[in-house]
């Protein structure tokens, strides 16, 4: 009797765990590595490019503040995942030609890149990888580079979950920028660009 009771308990626990596991694996987000792999294989993306500019203020004791102008470029690459590929493949070629991919995809990842170069030989390069689940940012990777004339580039990298980002007040960095605000602003722009497709 005790053996049967133990067997029944073991089976019920196993069934519960396997059901829960199938539910979570069906609804959970992709890992960062899986997202990167999907973005390499599936080439459905939006690319947006433009020009940018900035000013650098140099303050010296006893001298007027010097303003140095900078110019550069920026780009966004927004990777989309088509979640109903089996249905799409079942359509005729004519139906596929009329198929609206924008309505049947979701945002997986976006990459941002910008380069600013100043008149005095200084330069700033900013790169970001933004990872999403259900249109919400859950992870970000940032790479910053500071270039000075006749010097080796200074490089700094961040790899942050959304929890780490939310729990930090300020993130010290080589470009002296408010990195937390910058991440929020860029993510808002990415979400807007993505939603404009729909």
């Amino acid at each position: 009797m005790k053996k049967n009771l133990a067997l029944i308990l073991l089976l019920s626990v196993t069934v519960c765990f396997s059901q829960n596991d199938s539910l979570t694996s069906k609804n959970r987000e992709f890992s960062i590595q899986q997202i990167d792999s999907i973005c390499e294989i599936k080439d459905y993306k939006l690319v947006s490019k433009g020009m940018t500019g900035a000013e650098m203020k140099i303050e010296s004791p006893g001298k007027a503040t010097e303003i140095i102008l900078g110019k550069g470029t920026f780009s966004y690459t927004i990777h989309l995942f088509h979640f109903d590929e089996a249905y799409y493949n079942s359509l005729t070629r004519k139906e596929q030609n009329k198929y609206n991919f924008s309505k049947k995809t979701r945002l997986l990842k976006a990459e941002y890149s910008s380069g600013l170069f100043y008149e005095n030989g200084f330069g700033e390069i900013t790169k970001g990888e933004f990872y999403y689940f259900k249109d919400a940012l859950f992870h970000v990777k940032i790479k910053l580079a500071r270039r000075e004339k006749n010097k080796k580039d200074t490089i700094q990298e961040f790899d942050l979950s959304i929890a780490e980002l939310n729990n930090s007040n300020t993130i010290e960095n080589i470009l002296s920028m408010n990195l937390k605000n910058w991440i929020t602003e860029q993510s808002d722009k990415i979400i807007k660009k993505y939603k404009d497709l729909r």
Side-chain angles (χ1 to χ4, degrees), residues 2-194:
K2 285 183 182 177
K3 282 184 181 178
N4 288 344
L5 185 57
L7 186 60
I8 289 168
L9 281 171
L10 181 64
L11 284 172
S12 63
V13 169
T14 305
V15 168
C16 288
F17 275 130
S18 62
Q19 286 175 339
N20 287 340
D21 184 59
S22 65
L23 278 172
T24 55
S25 64
K26 190 175 182 182
N27 298 321
R28 72 176 177 229
E29 63 210 28
F30 293 116
S31 70
I32 290 162
Q33 292 80 11
Q34 286 171 320
I35 289 174
D36 287 339
S37 295
I38 290 167
C39 293
E40 280 179 23
I41 297 164
K42 309 283 182 189
D43 197 24
Y44 189 59
K45 61 190 175 189
L46 165 74
V47 178
S48 175
K49 297 179 180 182
M51 301 294 290
T52 188
E55 292 180 351
M56 178 190 291
K57 293 181 181 178
I58 299 177
E59 296 177 11
S60 304
K63 292 183 180 178
T65 300
E66 189 180 0
I67 295 176
I68 310 291
L69 297 178
K71 291 181 180 179
T73 60
F74 69 87
S75 70
Y76 295 90
T77 303
I78 299 172
H79 298 271
L80 305 173
F81 178 62
H82 181 230
F83 56 84
D84 203 354
E85 195 167 346
Y87 172 70
Y88 174 78
N89 290 336
S90 72
L91 298 175
T92 65
R93 186 167 303 272
K94 190 175 180 180
E95 290 170 325
Q96 285 179 351
N97 290 339
K98 292 180 181 178
Y99 191 79
N100 189 339
F101 265 98
S102 301
K103 299 284 184 189
K104 301 289 185 182
T105 58
R106 63 185 171 91
L107 176 62
L108 269 193
K109 179 183 176 181
E111 295 159 357
Y112 172 84
S113 180
S114 73
L116 269 172
F117 301 95
Y118 294 89
E119 296 167 330
N120 63 353
F122 277 59
E124 297 174 357
I125 296 168
T126 310
K127 294 185 177 185
E129 294 179 81
F130 299 77
Y131 295 83
Y132 294 89
F133 176 60
K134 294 186 176 176
D135 299 356
L137 182 68
F138 76 90
H139 200 93
V140 65
K141 294 179 184 177
I142 305 293
K143 183 176 182 179
L144 306 175
R146 181 183 167 96
R147 184 167 291 166
E148 293 183 52
K149 201 170 184 179
N150 302 321
K151 288 188 179 179
K152 192 176 178 183
D153 289 359
T154 307
I155 296 171
Q156 189 176 29
E157 296 185 33
F158 300 91
D159 194 339
L160 303 163
S161 69
I162 198 66
E164 290 171 314
L165 194 60
N166 290 338
N167 290 334
S168 59
N169 293 324
T170 57
I171 302 169
E172 298 295 324
N173 61 84
I174 58 173
L175 300 183
S176 301
M177 62 195 284
N178 186 327
L179 198 57
K180 191 172 176 179
N181 283 356
W182 180 86
I183 290 168
T184 302
E185 287 167 15
Q186 294 306 323
S187 184
D188 289 346
K189 288 178 184 176
I190 288 161
I191 297 278
K192 185 181 184 310
K193 286 176 185 293
Y194 165 64

